[in-house]
């Protein structure tokens, strides 16, 4: 799995390789592949011939799987984690 040395500690890149995307959603690579093939998780985009999963698209798909809806009145926990509480 690639290292992301240029990013601040704790900040994930927007584009994730297959192994990182699988870890991000909390499943193994083979289960991740099945979820992508079955259309339950998004397909990768190609950047310079490299397959990359969009973290925001993974979030939307994962929210749909779990039934979670983030509305305007709900806190953005990721932003709070990075920036501290309001």
């Amino acid at each position: 799995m690639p290292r992301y040395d240029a990013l601040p500690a704790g900040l994930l890149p927007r584009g994730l390789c297959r192994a990182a995307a699988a870890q991000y959603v909390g499943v193994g690579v083979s289960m991740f592949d099945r979820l992508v093939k079955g259309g339950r998780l998004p397909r990768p985009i190609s950047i310079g011939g490299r397959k990359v999963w969009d973290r925001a698209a993974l979030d939307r798909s994962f929210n749909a799987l779990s039934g979670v809806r983030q509305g305007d009145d709900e806190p953005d926990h990721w932003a709070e984690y990075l920036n501290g509480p309001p």
Side-chain angles (χ1 to χ4, degrees):
M1 187 157 39
R3 291 179 36 184
Y4 303 107
D5 296 336
L7 298 174
L11 181 63
L12 291 174
R14 174 72 184 263
L16 301 172
C17 70
R18 179 173 156 252
Q23 283 187 353
Y24 183 69
V25 298
V27 298
V29 174
S30 59
M31 172 60 78
F32 181 79
D33 290 344
R34 287 192 298 270
L35 291 167
V36 170
K37 185 177 181 178
R40 299 183 76 191
L41 289 177
R43 297 180 58 78
I45 58 174
S46 180
I47 299 177
R50 185 168 171 249
K51 292 180 180 179
V52 179
W53 276 263
D54 181 342
R55 188 168 40 87
L58 289 169
D59 286 338
R60 287 189 300 273
S61 293
F62 196 82
N63 286 347
L65 286 172
S66 66
V68 172
R69 289 179 26 176
Q70 184 172 346
D72 293 340
D73 57 343
E74 291 185 36
D76 181 349
H77 296 291
W78 181 244
E80 190 172 306
Y81 170 77
L82 292 174
N83 304 319

